[in-house]
Amino acid sequence: MSHYDDRETRAAGAREDELFARLPAQIAHAKANAPAFAGLLADVDPEAVTSREALARLPVIRKSELLERQKAARPFGGFAAAHWGRDCRRVFASPGPLYEPEGARADYYRLARALHAAGFREGDLVHNTFSYHFTPAGSMMETAAHALGCTVFPAGVGQTEQQVAALADLQPNAYTGTPSFLRIILDKAAELGVTPSFTKAFVSGEAFPPSQRDALAARGIQAYQAYATADIGLIAYETPAREGMVVDEDIILEIVRPGTGDPVAPGEVGEVVVTTFNPDYPLIRFGTGDLSALLPGESPCGRTNLRIKGWMGRADQTTKIKGMFVHPSQVAEIVRRHPELARARLVVDNPGLNDRMTLHCESAAADDALAAAVAASIREVTKLRGEVAFCAPASLANDGKVIDDLRKYD
């Protein structure tokens, strides 16, 4: 079967009707069971929100606001309807920190649809290298693979030689993880004389340009990508047509002008805003902070849902490095920990297509001990390794930029 289910190929109008027929009940549920929405949507009649025009009149909840509300009301800022126990199996912490509940439903993040489009099938052995601690990426992939009938080896990140040893012993045919870590494993396998068994891969968390896709294909690995977040789960996914990403069946996606809630014209780049039907975490008009644009027409693969170009950058200065979001507030926290620092700017680049971040710090007291202490703070605050570069006081540009993403994917 080339499609996950018949919903993917239904008439576009039928999908739109079904989504907006479901929406009033979801808004009512959010108001009744998520205290934050009870306040934000106090004057909203759920039964009146049955069109995109009506939905566009509701407020957008952005990650920055979610973070601030969570700080004021732990753990979920009043946005979750789930409670500890049977309806909340796990809770995760993404950088910020932002806390996300994972409910008890099978394929909670709805990624099975995307894995199916990538060729994953019952009986596959999936080598899952996404993290299994703090952040939900490992669980996101594992629960989706299990929904398809796959077996999962929970490899997690790091320990490259042990990864290759498991590859040699178990012969998994499928990989999930970041594209950069897949390259690292393949290179280490070649160094150790191990022939990789992967024939398919599902990657996310980083940019995946055609040059990387073609390089993997030359090594016998067909790789596909998806766009998903810890808050929403699956948003859109690549298909064999390789023309943009098809939007998931169980969300309402809008593209809005950054900083507003106003939908932009088709084809115009704007912020991705998502409304989910998740009963445990009923986010209504959640601004992801990611930029994208709608593509015209339908996919040649036969799926009829909207398509987006994929991830096109950030609407704010928050960026994603090795699958982890890094926020301007985290840069500020690092500076606060070290009185010797005046201002700082996090510069992100990718020499050799490997993400690297360097914190450029203004300081009159720069030395090796301070550099080591700042590097330790970077690791503790962001959960990523970063380099430190000192510069003279008042030498950084006075333009308000805290994170400067210079990565190129040519």
Side-chain angles (χ1 to χ4, degrees), residues 34-80:
F37 281 116
L40 288 166
L41 305 180
D43 298 328
V44 173
D45 176 9
E47 294 302 319
V49 188
T50 57
S51 68
R52 289 187 177 271
E53 293 74 20
L55 179 61
R57 290 192 283 271
L58 303 187
V60 173
I61 308 302
R62 291 189 165 84
K63 270 188 182 289
S64 57
E65 181 178 350
L66 187 59
L67 178 60
E68 292 306 312
R69 284 179 174 265
Q70 284 201 3
K71 287 179 179 178
R74 293 297 191 192
F76 305 120
F79 287 98

Short mmCIF file of all heavy atoms in Angstrom, two decimals, residues 34-80:
data_model
loop_
_atom_site.label_atom_id
_atom_site.label_comp_id
_atom_site.label_asym_id
_atom_site.label_seq_id
_atom_site.Cartn_x
_atom_site.Cartn_y
_atom_site.Cartn_z
N ALA A 34 -8.13 23.22 29.96
CA ALA A 34 -6.80 23.84 29.98
C ALA A 34 -6.98 25.27 30.47
O ALA A 34 -7.47 26.13 29.73
CB ALA A 34 -6.16 23.81 28.60
N PRO A 35 -6.61 25.57 31.71
CA PRO A 35 -6.91 26.88 32.30
C PRO A 35 -6.40 28.07 31.48
O PRO A 35 -7.06 29.12 31.46
CB PRO A 35 -6.21 26.81 33.66
CG PRO A 35 -6.15 25.35 33.98
CD PRO A 35 -5.98 24.66 32.67
N ALA A 36 -5.27 27.93 30.81
CA ALA A 36 -4.75 29.05 30.01
C ALA A 36 -5.72 29.42 28.91
O ALA A 36 -5.96 30.61 28.65
CB ALA A 36 -3.39 28.69 29.43
N PHE A 37 -6.30 28.41 28.26
CA PHE A 37 -7.25 28.69 27.19
C PHE A 37 -8.59 29.18 27.73
O PHE A 37 -9.30 29.92 27.05
CB PHE A 37 -7.45 27.47 26.30
CG PHE A 37 -6.32 27.28 25.31
CD1 PHE A 37 -5.50 26.16 25.38
CD2 PHE A 37 -6.08 28.22 24.32
CE1 PHE A 37 -4.46 25.99 24.49
CE2 PHE A 37 -5.05 28.05 23.43
CZ PHE A 37 -4.22 26.94 23.50
N ALA A 38 -8.92 28.80 28.94
CA ALA A 38 -10.14 29.33 29.55
C ALA A 38 -10.07 30.84 29.64
O ALA A 38 -11.08 31.55 29.45
CB ALA A 38 -10.34 28.72 30.94
N GLY A 39 -8.86 31.37 29.91
CA GLY A 39 -8.68 32.81 29.96
C GLY A 39 -8.51 33.44 28.59
O GLY A 39 -9.17 34.43 28.26
N LEU A 40 -7.65 32.84 27.76
CA LEU A 40 -7.36 33.42 26.44
C LEU A 40 -8.59 33.43 25.53
O LEU A 40 -8.75 34.35 24.71
CB LEU A 40 -6.24 32.63 25.77
CG LEU A 40 -4.84 32.81 26.35
CD1 LEU A 40 -3.90 31.74 25.84
CD2 LEU A 40 -4.30 34.20 26.00
N LEU A 41 -9.44 32.43 25.65
CA LEU A 41 -10.59 32.30 24.75
C LEU A 41 -11.91 32.52 25.50
O LEU A 41 -12.96 32.03 25.08
CB LEU A 41 -10.58 30.91 24.10
CG LEU A 41 -9.31 30.52 23.34
CD1 LEU A 41 -9.44 29.12 22.75
CD2 LEU A 41 -8.98 31.52 22.25
N ALA A 42 -11.84 33.28 26.57
CA ALA A 42 -13.04 33.47 27.42
C ALA A 42 -14.22 34.01 26.64
O ALA A 42 -15.37 33.63 26.89
CB ALA A 42 -12.69 34.41 28.59
N ASP A 43 -13.97 34.90 25.69
CA ASP A 43 -15.06 35.53 24.94
C ASP A 43 -15.36 34.83 23.61
O ASP A 43 -16.13 35.36 22.80
CB ASP A 43 -14.72 37.00 24.68
CG ASP A 43 -14.57 37.79 25.97
OD1 ASP A 43 -15.27 37.47 26.94
OD2 ASP A 43 -13.73 38.72 26.00
N VAL A 44 -14.76 33.68 23.40
CA VAL A 44 -14.93 32.97 22.13
C VAL A 44 -16.02 31.91 22.26
O VAL A 44 -16.00 31.09 23.19
CB VAL A 44 -13.60 32.30 21.69
CG1 VAL A 44 -13.82 31.42 20.46
CG2 VAL A 44 -12.54 33.36 21.42
N ASP A 45 -16.96 31.93 21.33
CA ASP A 45 -17.98 30.88 21.24
C ASP A 45 -17.44 29.77 20.34
O ASP A 45 -17.28 29.97 19.14
CB ASP A 45 -19.27 31.45 20.63
CG ASP A 45 -20.33 30.37 20.42
OD1 ASP A 45 -20.14 29.22 20.89
OD2 ASP A 45 -21.34 30.67 19.76
N PRO A 46 -17.09 28.61 20.90
CA PRO A 46 -16.51 27.55 20.07
C PRO A 46 -17.35 27.19 18.85
O PRO A 46 -16.80 26.89 17.78
CB PRO A 46 -16.40 26.36 21.04
CG PRO A 46 -16.31 27.00 22.39
CD PRO A 46 -17.19 28.21 22.31
N GLU A 47 -18.67 27.23 18.99
CA GLU A 47 -19.53 26.83 17.88
C GLU A 47 -19.46 27.79 16.70
O GLU A 47 -19.91 27.46 15.60
CB GLU A 47 -20.98 26.73 18.37
CG GLU A 47 -21.21 25.61 19.37
CD GLU A 47 -20.81 24.24 18.83
OE1 GLU A 47 -21.11 23.98 17.63
OE2 GLU A 47 -20.21 23.46 19.57
N ALA A 48 -18.87 28.97 16.92
CA ALA A 48 -18.75 29.95 15.84
C ALA A 48 -17.45 29.82 15.06
O ALA A 48 -17.28 30.45 14.02
CB ALA A 48 -18.85 31.37 16.40
N VAL A 49 -16.54 28.97 15.53
CA VAL A 49 -15.23 28.84 14.88
C VAL A 49 -15.28 27.63 13.96
O VAL A 49 -14.83 26.53 14.30
CB VAL A 49 -14.10 28.73 15.92
CG1 VAL A 49 -12.74 28.79 15.21
CG2 VAL A 49 -14.20 29.84 16.95
N THR A 50 -15.83 27.85 12.78
CA THR A 50 -16.03 26.75 11.82
C THR A 50 -15.42 27.06 10.46
O THR A 50 -15.76 26.42 9.47
CB THR A 50 -17.53 26.46 11.65
OG1 THR A 50 -18.19 27.66 11.24
CG2 THR A 50 -18.14 25.96 12.95
N SER A 51 -14.50 28.01 10.40
CA SER A 51 -13.86 28.37 9.13
C SER A 51 -12.47 28.92 9.41
O SER A 51 -12.14 29.29 10.55
CB SER A 51 -14.68 29.43 8.40
OG SER A 51 -14.64 30.67 9.11
N ARG A 52 -11.65 28.99 8.37
CA ARG A 52 -10.32 29.58 8.53
C ARG A 52 -10.41 31.05 8.91
O ARG A 52 -9.57 31.55 9.68
CB ARG A 52 -9.51 29.39 7.25
CG ARG A 52 -9.09 27.95 7.03
CD ARG A 52 -8.14 27.77 5.86
NE ARG A 52 -7.75 26.36 5.76
CZ ARG A 52 -6.71 25.83 6.39
NH1 ARG A 52 -5.91 26.60 7.13
NH2 ARG A 52 -6.42 24.54 6.26
N GLU A 53 -11.39 31.72 8.39
CA GLU A 53 -11.55 33.15 8.71
C GLU A 53 -11.85 33.33 10.20
O GLU A 53 -11.28 34.22 10.86
CB GLU A 53 -12.66 33.76 7.87
CG GLU A 53 -12.37 33.83 6.39
CD GLU A 53 -12.47 32.48 5.68
OE1 GLU A 53 -13.11 31.54 6.25
OE2 GLU A 53 -11.90 32.34 4.58
N ALA A 54 -12.70 32.49 10.75
CA ALA A 54 -13.03 32.58 12.18
C ALA A 54 -11.83 32.18 13.04
O ALA A 54 -11.55 32.79 14.07
CB ALA A 54 -14.23 31.71 12.50
N LEU A 55 -11.12 31.14 12.61
CA LEU A 55 -9.94 30.70 13.35
C LEU A 55 -8.89 31.80 13.39
O LEU A 55 -8.23 32.01 14.42
CB LEU A 55 -9.37 29.43 12.71
CG LEU A 55 -8.11 28.84 13.34
CD1 LEU A 55 -8.36 28.41 14.78
CD2 LEU A 55 -7.60 27.64 12.51
N ALA A 56 -8.72 32.52 12.28
CA ALA A 56 -7.70 33.57 12.20
C ALA A 56 -7.96 34.72 13.15
O ALA A 56 -7.05 35.54 13.40
CB ALA A 56 -7.60 34.09 10.76
N ARG A 57 -9.15 34.81 13.72
CA ARG A 57 -9.45 35.87 14.67
C ARG A 57 -9.03 35.51 16.10
O ARG A 57 -9.04 36.36 16.99
CB ARG A 57 -10.95 36.21 14.64
CG ARG A 57 -11.38 36.91 13.34
CD ARG A 57 -12.77 37.49 13.46
NE ARG A 57 -13.80 36.46 13.35
CZ ARG A 57 -14.35 36.06 12.19
NH1 ARG A 57 -13.96 36.61 11.05
NH2 ARG A 57 -15.30 35.14 12.18
N LEU A 58 -8.64 34.26 16.33
CA LEU A 58 -8.19 33.85 17.66
C LEU A 58 -6.72 34.24 17.84
O LEU A 58 -5.97 34.36 16.88
CB LEU A 58 -8.35 32.34 17.83
CG LEU A 58 -9.76 31.76 17.61
CD1 LEU A 58 -9.79 30.29 17.99
CD2 LEU A 58 -10.80 32.54 18.40
N PRO A 59 -6.27 34.41 19.09
CA PRO A 59 -4.88 34.80 19.32
C PRO A 59 -3.91 33.67 18.98
O PRO A 59 -4.24 32.49 19.10
CB PRO A 59 -4.85 35.13 20.82
CG PRO A 59 -5.97 34.32 21.40
CD PRO A 59 -7.05 34.31 20.35
N VAL A 60 -2.71 34.05 18.56
CA VAL A 60 -1.62 33.10 18.34
C VAL A 60 -0.83 32.96 19.63
O VAL A 60 -0.48 33.96 20.27
CB VAL A 60 -0.70 33.56 17.19
CG1 VAL A 60 0.53 32.66 17.08
CG2 VAL A 60 -1.46 33.57 15.87
N ILE A 61 -0.56 31.72 20.03
CA ILE A 61 0.27 31.44 21.20
C ILE A 61 1.65 31.04 20.71
O ILE A 61 1.80 30.00 20.05
CB ILE A 61 -0.32 30.30 22.06
CG1 ILE A 61 -1.79 30.59 22.39
CG2 ILE A 61 0.51 30.09 23.31
CD1 ILE A 61 -2.01 31.88 23.13
N ARG A 62 2.64 31.87 20.97
CA ARG A 62 3.99 31.58 20.47
C ARG A 62 4.84 30.90 21.55
O ARG A 62 4.54 30.98 22.74
CB ARG A 62 4.65 32.85 19.96
CG ARG A 62 3.97 33.36 18.69
CD ARG A 62 4.72 34.50 18.02
NE ARG A 62 4.23 34.67 16.65
CZ ARG A 62 3.15 35.38 16.33
NH1 ARG A 62 2.43 35.97 17.28
NH2 ARG A 62 2.77 35.47 15.07
N LYS A 63 5.93 30.26 21.10
CA LYS A 63 6.79 29.53 22.02
C LYS A 63 7.28 30.42 23.16
O LYS A 63 7.38 29.99 24.30
CB LYS A 63 8.00 28.94 21.27
CG LYS A 63 7.77 27.55 20.72
CD LYS A 63 9.07 26.99 20.17
CE LYS A 63 8.87 25.61 19.57
NZ LYS A 63 8.62 24.57 20.57
N SER A 64 7.61 31.67 22.83
CA SER A 64 8.11 32.58 23.86
C SER A 64 7.06 32.79 24.95
O SER A 64 7.39 32.82 26.15
CB SER A 64 8.52 33.91 23.24
OG SER A 64 7.42 34.48 22.53
N GLU A 65 5.79 32.93 24.57
CA GLU A 65 4.72 33.10 25.55
C GLU A 65 4.50 31.80 26.33
O GLU A 65 4.27 31.83 27.54
CB GLU A 65 3.42 33.52 24.87
CG GLU A 65 2.28 33.73 25.85
CD GLU A 65 1.00 34.20 25.19
OE1 GLU A 65 1.03 34.55 23.99
OE2 GLU A 65 -0.04 34.20 25.87
N LEU A 66 4.57 30.68 25.63
CA LEU A 66 4.41 29.39 26.30
C LEU A 66 5.48 29.23 27.37
O LEU A 66 5.21 28.77 28.49
CB LEU A 66 4.50 28.26 25.27
CG LEU A 66 4.20 26.84 25.73
CD1 LEU A 66 2.80 26.72 26.30
CD2 LEU A 66 4.40 25.87 24.59
N LEU A 67 6.72 29.63 27.03
CA LEU A 67 7.82 29.52 27.98
C LEU A 67 7.56 30.39 29.21
O LEU A 67 7.72 29.94 30.35
CB LEU A 67 9.13 29.95 27.30
CG LEU A 67 10.39 29.95 28.18
CD1 LEU A 67 10.66 28.56 28.73
CD2 LEU A 67 11.58 30.46 27.38
N GLU A 68 7.14 31.63 29.00
CA GLU A 68 6.88 32.52 30.12
C GLU A 68 5.72 32.03 30.97
O GLU A 68 5.77 32.10 32.21
CB GLU A 68 6.59 33.94 29.60
CG GLU A 68 7.80 34.61 28.98
CD GLU A 68 9.01 34.62 29.91
OE1 GLU A 68 8.84 35.00 31.09
OE2 GLU A 68 10.11 34.23 29.46
N ARG A 69 4.67 31.52 30.34
CA ARG A 69 3.53 31.01 31.12
C ARG A 69 3.92 29.76 31.89
O ARG A 69 3.44 29.53 33.00
CB ARG A 69 2.35 30.74 30.19
CG ARG A 69 1.62 32.01 29.75
CD ARG A 69 0.46 31.67 28.81
NE ARG A 69 -0.34 32.83 28.49
CZ ARG A 69 -1.45 33.19 29.13
NH1 ARG A 69 -1.89 32.45 30.14
NH2 ARG A 69 -2.13 34.26 28.77
N GLN A 70 4.79 28.92 31.31
CA GLN A 70 5.24 27.74 32.04
C GLN A 70 6.08 28.14 33.26
O GLN A 70 5.99 27.51 34.31
CB GLN A 70 6.03 26.81 31.12
CG GLN A 70 5.17 26.01 30.18
CD GLN A 70 5.87 24.77 29.64
OE1 GLN A 70 7.00 24.47 30.01
NE2 GLN A 70 5.19 24.05 28.77
N LYS A 71 6.89 29.17 33.12
CA LYS A 71 7.68 29.62 34.26
C LYS A 71 6.78 30.09 35.40
O LYS A 71 7.09 29.90 36.58
CB LYS A 71 8.61 30.76 33.84
CG LYS A 71 9.79 30.32 32.98
CD LYS A 71 10.63 31.52 32.58
CE LYS A 71 11.83 31.10 31.73
NZ LYS A 71 12.62 32.28 31.31
N ALA A 72 5.65 30.68 35.03
CA ALA A 72 4.73 31.21 36.04
C ALA A 72 3.82 30.14 36.61
O ALA A 72 3.33 30.28 37.75
CB ALA A 72 3.89 32.33 35.43
N ALA A 73 3.57 29.08 35.84
CA ALA A 73 2.64 28.04 36.30
C ALA A 73 3.14 26.69 35.80
O ALA A 73 2.73 26.21 34.74
CB ALA A 73 1.22 28.31 35.79
N ARG A 74 4.07 26.10 36.55
CA ARG A 74 4.61 24.80 36.17
C ARG A 74 3.55 23.72 36.37
O ARG A 74 2.71 23.83 37.26
CB ARG A 74 5.86 24.48 37.00
CG ARG A 74 7.06 25.37 36.75
CD ARG A 74 7.57 25.23 35.32
NE ARG A 74 8.88 25.88 35.15
CZ ARG A 74 9.43 26.10 33.96
NH1 ARG A 74 8.78 25.76 32.86
NH2 ARG A 74 10.60 26.67 33.86
N PRO A 75 3.59 22.62 35.57
CA PRO A 75 4.63 22.41 34.56
C PRO A 75 4.28 22.91 33.16
O PRO A 75 5.17 23.12 32.36
CB PRO A 75 4.78 20.88 34.55
CG PRO A 75 3.39 20.39 34.86
CD PRO A 75 2.81 21.39 35.82
N PHE A 76 2.99 23.04 32.84
CA PHE A 76 2.62 23.28 31.44
C PHE A 76 1.99 24.65 31.18
O PHE A 76 1.42 24.87 30.12
CB PHE A 76 1.66 22.17 30.96
CG PHE A 76 2.20 20.78 31.15
CD1 PHE A 76 1.52 19.85 31.93
CD2 PHE A 76 3.39 20.40 30.54
CE1 PHE A 76 2.03 18.57 32.11
CE2 PHE A 76 3.90 19.12 30.72
CZ PHE A 76 3.22 18.20 31.50
N GLY A 77 2.04 25.53 32.15
CA GLY A 77 1.52 26.88 31.95
C GLY A 77 0.01 26.95 31.78
O GLY A 77 -0.51 27.96 31.31
N GLY A 78 -0.67 25.88 32.16
CA GLY A 78 -2.13 25.87 32.02
C GLY A 78 -2.62 25.47 30.65
O GLY A 78 -3.83 25.54 30.38
N PHE A 79 -1.72 25.01 29.77
CA PHE A 79 -2.13 24.65 28.41
C PHE A 79 -2.45 23.17 28.24
O PHE A 79 -3.00 22.77 27.21
CB PHE A 79 -1.04 25.05 27.40
CG PHE A 79 -0.95 26.52 27.17
CD1 PHE A 79 -0.01 27.28 27.83
CD2 PHE A 79 -1.82 27.16 26.31
CE1 PHE A 79 0.07 28.65 27.64
CE2 PHE A 79 -1.76 28.53 26.09
CZ PHE A 79 -0.80 29.27 26.77
N ALA A 80 -2.08 22.34 29.20
CA ALA A 80 -2.32 20.90 29.08
C ALA A 80 -3.61 20.51 29.79
O ALA A 80 -3.98 21.07 30.82
CB ALA A 80 -1.15 20.12 29.65
#
